[in-house]
PDB file of all heavy atoms in Angstrom:
ATOM      1  N   SER A 255     -10.932  -3.808 -29.650  1.00  0.00           N
ATOM      2  CA  SER A 255     -10.808  -5.266 -29.784  1.00  0.00           C
ATOM      3  C   SER A 255     -10.162  -5.892 -28.549  1.00  0.00           C
ATOM      4  O   SER A 255      -9.257  -6.728 -28.634  1.00  0.00           O
ATOM      5  CB  SER A 255      -9.976  -5.642 -31.043  1.00  0.00           C
ATOM      6  OG  SER A 255     -10.587  -5.140 -32.203  1.00  0.00           O
ATOM      7  N   ARG A 256     -10.654  -5.479 -27.373  1.00  0.00           N
ATOM      8  CA  ARG A 256     -10.165  -6.075 -26.129  1.00  0.00           C
ATOM      9  C   ARG A 256     -10.721  -7.488 -25.994  1.00  0.00           C
ATOM     10  O   ARG A 256     -11.894  -7.739 -26.246  1.00  0.00           O
ATOM     11  CB  ARG A 256     -10.586  -5.259 -24.907  1.00  0.00           C
ATOM     12  CG  ARG A 256      -9.911  -3.909 -24.791  1.00  0.00           C
ATOM     13  CD  ARG A 256     -10.385  -3.182 -23.536  1.00  0.00           C
ATOM     14  NE  ARG A 256      -9.833  -3.713 -22.315  1.00  0.00           N
ATOM     15  CZ  ARG A 256     -10.490  -3.826 -21.170  1.00  0.00           C
ATOM     16  NH1 ARG A 256     -11.770  -3.526 -21.098  1.00  0.00           N
ATOM     17  NH2 ARG A 256      -9.873  -4.284 -20.103  1.00  0.00           N
ATOM     18  N   ARG A 257      -9.876  -8.400 -25.549  1.00  0.00           N
ATOM     19  CA  ARG A 257     -10.301  -9.793 -25.454  1.00  0.00           C
ATOM     20  C   ARG A 257      -9.508 -10.490 -24.354  1.00  0.00           C
ATOM     21  O   ARG A 257      -8.338 -10.155 -24.116  1.00  0.00           O
ATOM     22  CB  ARG A 257     -10.106 -10.507 -26.780  1.00  0.00           C
ATOM     23  CG  ARG A 257      -8.696 -10.375 -27.349  1.00  0.00           C
ATOM     24  CD  ARG A 257      -8.641 -10.795 -28.811  1.00  0.00           C
ATOM     25  NE  ARG A 257      -7.300 -10.648 -29.364  1.00  0.00           N
ATOM     26  CZ  ARG A 257      -6.889  -9.564 -30.027  1.00  0.00           C
ATOM     27  NH1 ARG A 257      -7.703  -8.523 -30.195  1.00  0.00           N
ATOM     28  NH2 ARG A 257      -5.662  -9.491 -30.529  1.00  0.00           N
ATOM     29  N   LEU A 258     -10.140 -11.444 -23.732  1.00  0.00           N
ATOM     30  CA  LEU A 258      -9.475 -12.295 -22.734  1.00  0.00           C
ATOM     31  C   LEU A 258      -8.960 -13.532 -23.438  1.00  0.00           C
ATOM     32  O   LEU A 258      -9.708 -14.216 -24.152  1.00  0.00           O
ATOM     33  CB  LEU A 258     -10.435 -12.677 -21.624  1.00  0.00           C
ATOM     34  CG  LEU A 258      -9.847 -13.474 -20.453  1.00  0.00           C
ATOM     35  CD1 LEU A 258      -8.965 -12.560 -19.602  1.00  0.00           C
ATOM     36  CD2 LEU A 258     -10.946 -14.096 -19.611  1.00  0.00           C
ATOM     37  N   VAL A 259      -7.676 -13.816 -23.297  1.00  0.00           N
ATOM     38  CA  VAL A 259      -7.102 -14.996 -23.931  1.00  0.00           C
ATOM     39  C   VAL A 259      -6.469 -15.886 -22.858  1.00  0.00           C
ATOM     40  O   VAL A 259      -6.091 -15.410 -21.784  1.00  0.00           O
ATOM     41  CB  VAL A 259      -6.035 -14.630 -24.992  1.00  0.00           C
ATOM     42  CG1 VAL A 259      -6.643 -13.749 -26.081  1.00  0.00           C
ATOM     43  CG2 VAL A 259      -4.827 -13.940 -24.355  1.00  0.00           C
ATOM     44  N   ARG A 260      -6.389 -17.184 -23.159  1.00  0.00           N
ATOM     45  CA  ARG A 260      -5.797 -18.161 -22.243  1.00  0.00           C
ATOM     46  C   ARG A 260      -4.551 -18.763 -22.898  1.00  0.00           C
ATOM     47  O   ARG A 260      -4.576 -19.118 -24.073  1.00  0.00           O
ATOM     48  CB  ARG A 260      -6.790 -19.247 -21.905  1.00  0.00           C
ATOM     49  CG  ARG A 260      -6.216 -20.332 -20.955  1.00  0.00           C
ATOM     50  CD  ARG A 260      -7.274 -21.361 -20.577  1.00  0.00           C
ATOM     51  NE  ARG A 260      -7.808 -22.035 -21.757  1.00  0.00           N
ATOM     52  CZ  ARG A 260      -9.114 -22.103 -22.049  1.00  0.00           C
ATOM     53  NH1 ARG A 260      -9.997 -21.520 -21.275  1.00  0.00           N
ATOM     54  NH2 ARG A 260      -9.518 -22.735 -23.136  1.00  0.00           N
ATOM     55  N   VAL A 261      -3.467 -18.866 -22.108  1.00  0.00           N
ATOM     56  CA  VAL A 261      -2.250 -19.484 -22.580  1.00  0.00           C
ATOM     57  C   VAL A 261      -2.047 -20.782 -21.807  1.00  0.00           C
ATOM     58  O   VAL A 261      -2.038 -20.784 -20.581  1.00  0.00           O
ATOM     59  CB  VAL A 261      -1.032 -18.557 -22.385  1.00  0.00           C
ATOM     60  CG1 VAL A 261       0.251 -19.264 -22.823  1.00  0.00           C
ATOM     61  CG2 VAL A 261      -1.222 -17.253 -23.164  1.00  0.00           C
ATOM     62  N   LYS A 262      -1.896 -21.883 -22.524  1.00  0.00           N
ATOM     63  CA  LYS A 262      -1.613 -23.174 -21.887  1.00  0.00           C
ATOM     64  C   LYS A 262      -0.189 -23.156 -21.330  1.00  0.00           C
ATOM     65  O   LYS A 262       0.754 -22.862 -22.051  1.00  0.00           O
ATOM     66  CB  LYS A 262      -1.761 -24.311 -22.881  1.00  0.00           C
ATOM     67  CG  LYS A 262      -3.207 -24.617 -23.268  1.00  0.00           C
ATOM     68  CD  LYS A 262      -3.940 -25.307 -22.126  1.00  0.00           C
ATOM     69  CE  LYS A 262      -5.301 -25.795 -22.568  1.00  0.00           C
ATOM     70  NZ  LYS A 262      -6.027 -26.466 -21.460  1.00  0.00           N
ATOM     71  N   PRO A 263      -0.013 -23.475 -20.056  1.00  0.00           N
ATOM     72  CA  PRO A 263       1.321 -23.385 -19.453  1.00  0.00           C
ATOM     73  C   PRO A 263       2.318 -24.387 -20.001  1.00  0.00           C
ATOM     74  O   PRO A 263       3.533 -24.129 -19.954  1.00  0.00           O
ATOM     75  CB  PRO A 263       1.058 -23.622 -17.962  1.00  0.00           C
ATOM     76  CG  PRO A 263      -0.218 -24.400 -17.924  1.00  0.00           C
ATOM     77  CD  PRO A 263      -1.021 -23.904 -19.071  1.00  0.00           C
ATOM     78  N   ASP A 264       1.860 -25.510 -20.509  1.00  0.00           N
ATOM     79  CA  ASP A 264       2.799 -26.538 -20.984  1.00  0.00           C
ATOM     80  C   ASP A 264       3.193 -26.333 -22.441  1.00  0.00           C
ATOM     81  O   ASP A 264       4.357 -26.460 -22.796  1.00  0.00           O
ATOM     82  CB  ASP A 264       2.199 -27.931 -20.787  1.00  0.00           C
ATOM     83  CG  ASP A 264       0.784 -28.047 -21.316  1.00  0.00           C
ATOM     84  OD1 ASP A 264       0.200 -27.011 -21.699  1.00  0.00           O
ATOM     85  OD2 ASP A 264       0.264 -29.179 -21.365  1.00  0.00           O
ATOM     86  N   THR A 265       2.228 -25.967 -23.302  1.00  0.00           N
ATOM     87  CA  THR A 265       2.504 -25.826 -24.727  1.00  0.00           C
ATOM     88  C   THR A 265       2.680 -24.390 -25.174  1.00  0.00           C
ATOM     89  O   THR A 265       3.220 -24.146 -26.267  1.00  0.00           O
ATOM     90  CB  THR A 265       1.381 -26.464 -25.547  1.00  0.00           C
ATOM     91  OG1 THR A 265       0.163 -25.720 -25.323  1.00  0.00           O
ATOM     92  CG2 THR A 265       1.154 -27.909 -25.134  1.00  0.00           C
ATOM     93  N   GLY A 266       2.162 -23.411 -24.400  1.00  0.00           N
ATOM     94  CA  GLY A 266       2.204 -22.024 -24.829  1.00  0.00           C
ATOM     95  C   GLY A 266       1.133 -21.671 -25.825  1.00  0.00           C
ATOM     96  O   GLY A 266       1.122 -20.565 -26.370  1.00  0.00           O
ATOM     97  N   GLN A 267       0.209 -22.587 -26.088  1.00  0.00           N
ATOM     98  CA  GLN A 267      -0.852 -22.332 -27.065  1.00  0.00           C
ATOM     99  C   GLN A 267      -1.808 -21.257 -26.526  1.00  0.00           C
ATOM    100  O   GLN A 267      -2.234 -21.306 -25.393  1.00  0.00           O
ATOM    101  CB  GLN A 267      -1.633 -23.608 -27.343  1.00  0.00           C
ATOM    102  CG  GLN A 267      -2.771 -23.438 -28.324  1.00  0.00           C
ATOM    103  CD  GLN A 267      -3.591 -24.713 -28.501  1.00  0.00           C
ATOM    104  OE1 GLN A 267      -3.344 -25.716 -27.811  1.00  0.00           O
ATOM    105  NE2 GLN A 267      -4.571 -24.685 -29.405  1.00  0.00           N
ATOM    106  N   GLU A 268      -2.134 -20.307 -27.405  1.00  0.00           N
ATOM    107  CA  GLU A 268      -3.010 -19.199 -27.039  1.00  0.00           C
ATOM    108  C   GLU A 268      -4.401 -19.419 -27.636  1.00  0.00           C
ATOM    109  O   GLU A 268      -4.533 -19.728 -28.827  1.00  0.00           O
ATOM    110  CB  GLU A 268      -2.447 -17.870 -27.514  1.00  0.00           C
ATOM    111  CG  GLU A 268      -3.336 -16.668 -27.229  1.00  0.00           C
ATOM    112  CD  GLU A 268      -2.788 -15.372 -27.792  1.00  0.00           C
ATOM    113  OE1 GLU A 268      -1.545 -15.229 -27.839  1.00  0.00           O
ATOM    114  OE2 GLU A 268      -3.584 -14.507 -28.184  1.00  0.00           O
ATOM    115  N   THR A 269      -5.453 -19.195 -26.823  1.00  0.00           N
ATOM    116  CA  THR A 269      -6.830 -19.349 -27.266  1.00  0.00           C
ATOM    117  C   THR A 269      -7.660 -18.183 -26.764  1.00  0.00           C
ATOM    118  O   THR A 269      -7.524 -17.786 -25.597  1.00  0.00           O
ATOM    119  CB  THR A 269      -7.456 -20.659 -26.722  1.00  0.00           C
ATOM    120  OG1 THR A 269      -6.624 -21.776 -27.075  1.00  0.00           O
ATOM    121  CG2 THR A 269      -8.854 -20.860 -27.272  1.00  0.00           C
ATOM    122  N   GLN A 270      -8.486 -17.604 -27.633  1.00  0.00           N
ATOM    123  CA  GLN A 270      -9.357 -16.529 -27.180  1.00  0.00           C
ATOM    124  C   GLN A 270     -10.494 -17.123 -26.365  1.00  0.00           C
ATOM    125  O   GLN A 270     -11.144 -18.087 -26.786  1.00  0.00           O
ATOM    126  CB  GLN A 270      -9.917 -15.741 -28.357  1.00  0.00           C
ATOM    127  CG  GLN A 270     -10.868 -14.635 -27.910  1.00  0.00           C
ATOM    128  CD  GLN A 270     -11.258 -13.663 -29.014  1.00  0.00           C
ATOM    129  OE1 GLN A 270     -10.477 -13.427 -29.930  1.00  0.00           O
ATOM    130  NE2 GLN A 270     -12.453 -13.100 -28.932  1.00  0.00           N
ATOM    131  N   VAL A 271     -10.751 -16.543 -25.181  1.00  0.00           N
ATOM    132  CA  VAL A 271     -11.819 -17.010 -24.290  1.00  0.00           C
ATOM    133  C   VAL A 271     -13.099 -16.244 -24.565  1.00  0.00           C
ATOM    134  O   VAL A 271     -14.162 -16.824 -24.755  1.00  0.00           O
ATOM    135  CB  VAL A 271     -11.393 -16.857 -22.820  1.00  0.00           C
ATOM    136  CG1 VAL A 271     -12.535 -17.275 -21.885  1.00  0.00           C
ATOM    137  CG2 VAL A 271     -10.136 -17.666 -22.528  1.00  0.00           C
ATOM    138  N   CYS A 272     -13.010 -14.918 -24.580  1.00  0.00           N
ATOM    139  CA  CYS A 272     -14.200 -14.098 -24.839  1.00  0.00           C
ATOM    140  C   CYS A 272     -13.774 -12.693 -25.197  1.00  0.00           C
ATOM    141  O   CYS A 272     -12.682 -12.248 -24.876  1.00  0.00           O
ATOM    142  CB  CYS A 272     -15.140 -14.095 -23.639  1.00  0.00           C
ATOM    143  SG  CYS A 272     -14.456 -13.297 -22.159  1.00  0.00           S
ATOM    144  N   SER A 273     -14.662 -11.995 -25.860  1.00  0.00           N
ATOM    145  CA  SER A 273     -14.443 -10.570 -26.162  1.00  0.00           C
ATOM    146  C   SER A 273     -14.797  -9.741 -24.947  1.00  0.00           C
ATOM    147  O   SER A 273     -15.731 -10.067 -24.195  1.00  0.00           O
ATOM    148  CB  SER A 273     -15.286 -10.144 -27.357  1.00  0.00           C
ATOM    149  OG  SER A 273     -15.216  -8.743 -27.540  1.00  0.00           O
ATOM    150  N   LEU A 274     -14.057  -8.657 -24.737  1.00  0.00           N
ATOM    151  CA  LEU A 274     -14.370  -7.703 -23.660  1.00  0.00           C
ATOM    152  C   LEU A 274     -14.961  -6.415 -24.210  1.00  0.00           C
ATOM    153  O   LEU A 274     -15.128  -5.445 -23.472  1.00  0.00           O
ATOM    154  CB  LEU A 274     -13.109  -7.426 -22.840  1.00  0.00           C
ATOM    155  CG  LEU A 274     -12.537  -8.629 -22.079  1.00  0.00           C
ATOM    156  CD1 LEU A 274     -11.243  -8.244 -21.396  1.00  0.00           C
ATOM    157  CD2 LEU A 274     -13.540  -9.195 -21.087  1.00  0.00           C
ATOM    158  N   ASP A 275     -15.238  -6.405 -25.516  1.00  0.00           N
ATOM    159  CA  ASP A 275     -15.965  -5.287 -26.121  1.00  0.00           C
ATOM    160  C   ASP A 275     -17.459  -5.547 -25.976  1.00  0.00           C
ATOM    161  O   ASP A 275     -18.112  -6.122 -26.858  1.00  0.00           O
ATOM    162  CB  ASP A 275     -15.572  -5.141 -27.598  1.00  0.00           C
ATOM    163  CG  ASP A 275     -14.129  -4.712 -27.771  1.00  0.00           C
ATOM    164  OD1 ASP A 275     -13.613  -4.032 -26.878  1.00  0.00           O
ATOM    165  OD2 ASP A 275     -13.523  -5.079 -28.804  1.00  0.00           O
ATOM    166  N   ILE A 276     -17.994  -5.173 -24.828  1.00  0.00           N
ATOM    167  CA  ILE A 276     -19.366  -5.565 -24.477  1.00  0.00           C
ATOM    168  C   ILE A 276     -20.394  -4.771 -25.264  1.00  0.00           C
ATOM    169  O   ILE A 276     -21.529  -5.205 -25.458  1.00  0.00           O
ATOM    170  CB  ILE A 276     -19.547  -5.431 -22.956  1.00  0.00           C
ATOM    171  CG1 ILE A 276     -18.572  -6.394 -22.251  1.00  0.00           C
ATOM    172  CG2 ILE A 276     -20.981  -5.731 -22.533  1.00  0.00           C
ATOM    173  CD1 ILE A 276     -18.561  -6.285 -20.760  1.00  0.00           C
TER     174      ILE A 276
END
Side-chain angles (χ1 to χ4, degrees):
S255 300
R256 291 180 75 217
R257 53 194 179 266
L258 184 72
V259 301
R260 178 177 59 234
V261 177
K262 288 287 188 180
D264 49 351
T265 65
Q267 179 184 4
E268 177 183 327
T269 306
Q270 179 169 330
V271 178
C272 65
S273 172
L274 296 176
D275 293 331
I276 298 175

